[in-house]
Amino acid sequence: MALRVLPGSAMTALFLRLATCDGKHVVVCATHLKAGFSVEMEEHRLAQALALQKHLQKFVGDTDDTPIILAADLNAHHSPYALCTAAVCNDPRAVVEPKAIRAFLDGGFQSAYPKFPSFTAWSGWLDRDVKANLDYILLKGPVHTLGVLEGPDEQAVSHCAELLPNEHWPSDHIHLLADVEVF
């Protein structure tokens, strides 16, 4: 099933109900939330995150024991970040607090990665580099991680003139992969 995350929004989510070989059900969701580095965009992503969780709960139904796997470009960082202002880039007086990721964590999701990667996107813009953790695999319910694909080494990417994408990594976002077990 595909649906708009918020009414009037172009952002959609795809919901899929699967069954394991032994008949356990699992729900997988893929989505892409609104991009933008600002307090306003983080507030918009928070609204999207809260709406998405309501849609997921409705899709899952009354049972709390259905595992959920959310694989998404949430365009939201998990820790505070400083904005570029007219005065300076990474202005410590202009900080965006993470609300969208916090909403998922407060809603019972956890990262499939033992700790958040240092970056999942790293691109050079004309006036600055953008290095952030924007992509996530989040888990909820009776599911846990057996292993993950580690991203490229920070030093290796920093030595590429174009950062990401480049000849070794074909996207401005790194690939995330988790081997999970439903129990």
Side-chain angles (χ1 to χ4, degrees):
M1 175 176 89
L3 57 83
R4 293 198 185 280
V5 177
L6 288 174
S9 170
M11 303 304 160
T12 59
L14 178 65
F15 297 86
L16 186 61
R17 187 175 285 112
L18 303 173
T20 64
C21 294
D22 56 356
K24 296 175 187 166
H25 290 115
V26 62
V27 168
V28 178
C29 175
T31 194
H32 185 273
L33 299 187
K34 182 74 174 155
F37 291 105
S38 70
V39 171
E40 294 79 20
M41 288 297 96
E42 187 65 14
E43 290 292 338
H44 189 75
R45 284 188 294 272
L46 172 60
Q48 290 178 315
L50 295 172
L52 181 63
Q53 289 183 76
K54 286 181 183 176
H55 292 307
L56 274 167
Q57 190 57 50
K58 185 176 179 182
F59 186 77
V60 167
D62 293 333
T63 177
D64 284 336
D65 62 347
T66 300
I68 300 172
I69 301 170
L70 172 62
D73 177 350
L74 298 177
N75 275 311
H77 202 60
H78 59 85
S79 60
Y81 62 90
L83 296 172
C84 292
T85 64
V88 65
C89 204
N90 294 317
D91 189 336
R93 296 165 299 174
V95 174
V96 176
E97 293 296 327
K99 295 183 178 180
I101 301 305
R102 176 59 38 211
F104 284 111
L105 298 176
D106 290 347
F109 284 89
Q110 62 183 14
S111 176
Y113 279 71
K115 64 178 189 168
F116 291 117
S118 63
F119 67 95
T120 63
W122 192 356
S123 302
W125 293 15
L126 288 177
D127 60 342
R128 65 189 177 278
D129 290 347
V130 175
K131 178 183 172 191
N133 191 359
L134 305 176
D135 308 282
Y136 298 86
I137 300 174
L138 300 175
L139 310 174
K140 183 177 180 179
V143 56
H144 68 267
T145 304
L146 299 174
V148 296
L149 174 69
E150 294 299 330
D153 179 72
E154 220 171 296
Q155 191 161 354
V157 173
S158 71
H159 284 103
C160 295
E162 57 281 321
L163 300 171
L164 295 176
N166 61 48
E167 65 184 60
H168 304 288
W169 298 285
S171 174
D172 62 333
H173 294 250
I174 65 168
H175 305 289
L176 298 181
L177 177 71
D179 184 11
V180 299
E181 178 179 43
V182 173
F183 53 93

